[in-house]
Amino acid sequence: MAAPRAKSVAEEAFDELSSLVHKDWGSIDSFTLARLERAAKNGIPVDPVLAHQVLGIVAAIRWDDATMDEQFGIAMRYDAGATVEENYASTLDGAGRCIESANLYERAANTHPTDRAIWRRAMQANWQAGRWQRTLDLADELAKRSPDEEFPHLNTQKQMIAVVKRNGVSLQTIEALHTAVYSFLHDRRVRTIGTVCDSDTSPGEESIYILVRIKGDPEQVKELDEELTPVLFDAVDAFPLGSFYIGLIAEGQEDARVS
């Protein structure tokens, strides 16, 4: 029986950091980041692919976009496989750069057309970025490659698209509003922890509600949401009042319906 392979220093750092990021980006203290950064730098000679990814993730946690891009760029020059691209895409998402994340997931999917998991992540990333039509296009492409594939959320997503279209809201407007929200949060170094969706399908009252969940006291989040409002109105020629709402919600609040 073969002895288990010993992990490299960089691999240990990557595994630990991945676990911490999965739980909560904001809870990683500066001491831990410095320790993992030091381990990654020490591990570059033996395992440069994982070492540079650790350095990229650490930079993202510190809101250092330039270093994050540089480190993942180095890692991808060492290894052009889908795994590094996916890790970079996930890190971009954590840094609030959702459109770039969606583009990278989609590139990985096109590079590895038989990997259905990557296709599903590309669909999810595009939906989160507000690129709703692109999500449907990717679903159609995946269905051609894998006719037995199931999409549990696709019917709901199609219904949401139908509601906004019936109310004269273009999907370009939806994407622009999503972009404005995530750019606003990125500029203020506020991380997202998911979204809450709701809808009103009453005849004559059809509306879609999208709220981006963030950490913070509800009153503080409310103030931030009020600061976001003029940014959203500046992002589009005509804000779709009454038929589409996008804004912020505090962690722990569940109702996306806005009065």
Side-chain angles (χ1 to χ4, degrees):
M1 183 176 180
R5 180 183 62 85
K7 291 184 178 181
S8 69
V9 172
E11 187 175 2
E12 289 181 345
F14 181 85
D15 289 347
E16 180 179 351
L17 185 56
S18 297
S19 177
L20 292 171
V21 167
H22 180 71
K23 291 177 182 176
D24 182 4
W25 283 62
S27 67
I28 307 175
D29 60 89
S30 58
F31 175 81
T32 299
L33 285 180
R35 175 174 57 80
L36 294 172
E37 180 182 39
R38 184 169 59 252
K41 288 180 177 179
N42 291 336
I44 288 175
V46 174
D47 195 345
V49 175
L50 285 177
H52 285 291
Q53 288 181 85
V54 170
L55 294 174
I57 297 169
V58 168
I61 294 169
R62 292 173 174 162
W63 296 101
D64 183 352
D65 285 29
T67 300
M68 173 185 66
D69 295 335
E70 177 187 14
Q71 294 298 328
F72 270 102
I74 295 171
M76 287 191 292
R77 287 197 291 274
Y78 276 106
D79 183 348
T83 299
V84 181
E85 285 187 330
E86 286 186 84
N87 290 339
Y88 187 18
S90 177
T91 305
L92 285 167
D93 179 52
R97 291 164 58 181
C98 297
I99 289 182
E100 292 170 88
S101 173
N103 285 335
L104 196 53
Y105 272 126
E106 190 168 340
R107 189 174 83 181
N110 287 323
T111 304
H112 302 82
T114 61
D115 191 330
R116 296 186 294 181
I118 298 179
W119 279 90
R120 289 193 294 270
R121 281 191 281 273
M123 290 168 57
Q124 181 181 3
N126 274 280
W127 184 266
Q128 180 181 334
R131 295 160 56 157
W132 290 4
Q133 183 59 54
R134 189 60 194 143
T135 302
L136 299 187
D137 293 343
L138 287 169
D140 288 342
E141 291 180 32
L142 180 54
K144 294 175 184 176
R145 292 176 167 84
S146 179
D148 61 335
E149 191 74 22
E150 295 183 2
F151 307 104
H153 304 296
L154 195 58
N155 285 337
T156 299
Q157 292 169 343
K158 286 181 176 179
Q159 291 169 4
M160 291 171 66
I161 291 174
V163 167
V164 296
K165 283 186 173 180
R166 279 198 296 270
N167 285 274
V169 182
S170 72
L171 294 185
Q172 289 78 12
T173 294
I174 300 297
E175 181 177 342
L177 291 171
H178 278 76
T179 299
V181 170
Y182 288 111
S183 296
F184 172 85
L185 294 174
H186 177 271
D187 290 346
R188 285 154 183 77
R189 297 189 171 187
V190 176
R191 298 197 191 281
T192 65
I193 49 175
T195 57
V196 183
C197 302
D198 202 352
S199 62
D200 185 345
T201 57
S202 304
E205 301 289 338
E206 285 188 322
S207 298
I208 297 296
Y209 302 86
I210 305 287
L211 272 86
V212 179
R213 179 173 289 160
I214 62 175
K215 284 200 166 189
D217 177 87
E219 285 302 315
Q220 293 176 328
V221 175
K222 182 179 180 181
E223 291 176 5
L224 194 61
D225 188 55
E226 290 172 354
E227 186 181 348
L228 170 65
T229 299
V231 175
L232 294 175
F233 275 84
D234 288 342
V236 293
D237 293 333
F239 193 93
L241 290 170
S243 55
F244 183 81
Y245 181 92
I246 186 167
L248 308 177
I249 190 171
E251 183 183 24
Q253 293 182 306
E254 297 298 333
D255 191 1
R257 200 69 64 88
V258 178
S259 59

